[in-house]
């Protein structure tokens, strides 16, 4: 018997025109090589064996963050029922460009960099690329308490909301470019 939901999928209605507007805004920002947390989760390091992508950060009061907040709150109200109060970090615009771009298995659980009393509880991945624009790059999620994995390569504008404790990855891109928005909504520590 499954006690906790594994994910919530929203076909948001964001079309290519809106996705292109987000991409244009985010591509104009300065990008950096993506990093991973070091052993103690207090610092991050670039390790292309674990993660190969670039990203930039979007302020939590940006219209994009407001839209994503709505999706997370809908998922939480319908499915998860967590005690949530705010974003734990800024929104990340992530670009997996070209062969070999990927992110190995990981979870998103961490304390907010802004508030030590806030921990990540729900993660959201909002897909901005049409699945025809890239080969590979599937999002995979290990289902909590089960020996199963769900694989997604959804249409543009799809949002996947899942517990930040869940292991997930982005499989290697074989060709093309995969763009997404990632965010972590949190609240007081789990009891």
């Amino acid at each position: 018997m499954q006690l906790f939901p594994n994910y919530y999928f929203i076909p948001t209605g964001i079309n290519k025109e809106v996705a292109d507007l987000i991409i244009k805004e985010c591509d104009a920002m300065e990008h950096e090589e993506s990093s991973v947390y070091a052993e103690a989760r207090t610092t991050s390091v670039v390790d292309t064996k674990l993660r190969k992508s670039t990203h930039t950060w979007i302020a939590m009061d940006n219209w994009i963050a407001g839209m994503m907040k709505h999706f997370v709150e809908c998922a939480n109200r319908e499915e998860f029922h967590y005690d949530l109060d705010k974003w734990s970090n800024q929104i990340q615009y992530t670009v997996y460009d070209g062969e070999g771009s990927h992110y190995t298995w990981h979870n998103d659980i961490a304390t907010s960099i802004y508030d030590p009393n806030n921990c990540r509880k729900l993660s959201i991945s909002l897909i901005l690329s049409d699945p025809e624009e890239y080969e590979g790059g599937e999002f995979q999620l290990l289902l909590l308490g089960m020996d199963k994995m769900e694989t997604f390569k959804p249409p543009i504008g799809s949002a996947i909301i899942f517990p930040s404790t869940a292991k997930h990855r982005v499989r290697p891109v074989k060709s093309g470019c995969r763009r997404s928005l990632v965010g972590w909504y949190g609240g007081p520590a789990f009891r």
Side-chain angles (χ1 to χ4, degrees):
M1 178 173 139
Q2 182 179 341
L3 300 176
F4 302 104
N6 282 293
Y7 65 89
Y8 191 81
F9 183 88
I10 302 176
T12 68
I14 292 173
N15 59 22
K16 182 158 178 46
E17 185 177 296
V18 174
D20 286 346
L21 179 66
I22 295 168
I23 289 168
K24 183 178 179 183
E25 184 173 327
C26 293
D27 279 349
M29 298 176 188
E30 187 174 331
H31 289 232
E32 59 188 79
E33 270 192 274
S34 299
S35 58
V36 294
Y37 278 115
E39 191 80 19
R41 288 182 104 46
T42 55
T43 59
S44 60
V45 296
V46 172
D47 184 341
T48 57
K49 289 180 185 169
L50 298 176
R51 183 179 190 189
K52 184 179 177 191
S53 62
T54 62
H55 69 271
T56 193
W57 298 101
I58 302 169
M60 293 179 287
D61 61 354
N62 184 288
W63 68 273
I64 296 168
M67 174 184 62
M68 292 178 67
K69 176 183 181 214
H70 170 71
F71 301 143
V72 170
E73 288 176 343
C74 287
N76 192 52
R77 183 176 53 253
E78 294 295 319
E79 199 69 44
F80 297 101
H81 311 288
Y82 288 165
D83 185 7
L84 300 177
D85 56 22
K86 59 188 166 190
W87 289 113
S88 293
N89 296 80
Q90 293 177 304
I91 305 301
Q92 187 179 96
Y93 169 71
T94 311
V95 179
Y96 297 91
D97 192 8
E99 185 177 0
S101 298
H102 71 285
Y103 196 170
T104 57
W105 289 109
H106 65 284
N107 65 42
D108 295 334
I109 198 74
T111 302
S112 169
I113 61 172
Y114 304 109
D115 180 355
N117 298 314
N118 177 283
C119 75
R120 295 175 178 181
K121 292 185 175 180
L122 286 179
S123 299
I124 178 172
S125 180
L126 177 61
I127 308 303
L128 297 174
S129 298
D130 187 295
E132 300 298 317
E133 295 175 2
Y134 61 97
E135 186 180 347
E138 299 88 355
F139 177 81
Q140 292 185 312
L141 179 67
L142 287 178
L143 303 183
L144 297 170
M146 307 169 98
D147 291 328
K148 288 185 182 177
M149 175 176 54
E150 190 78 37
T151 300
F152 302 88
K153 193 168 180 184
I156 195 169
S158 300
I160 304 161
I161 296 99
F162 55 96
S164 297
T165 55
K167 293 268 188 186
H168 56 285
R169 71 176 176 178
V170 174
R171 296 199 58 207
V173 171
K174 296 176 183 174
S175 65
C177 186
R178 178 192 189 274
R179 292 176 169 89
S180 62
L181 295 169
V182 180
W184 310 275
Y185 216 79
F190 287 109
R191 300 180 207 210

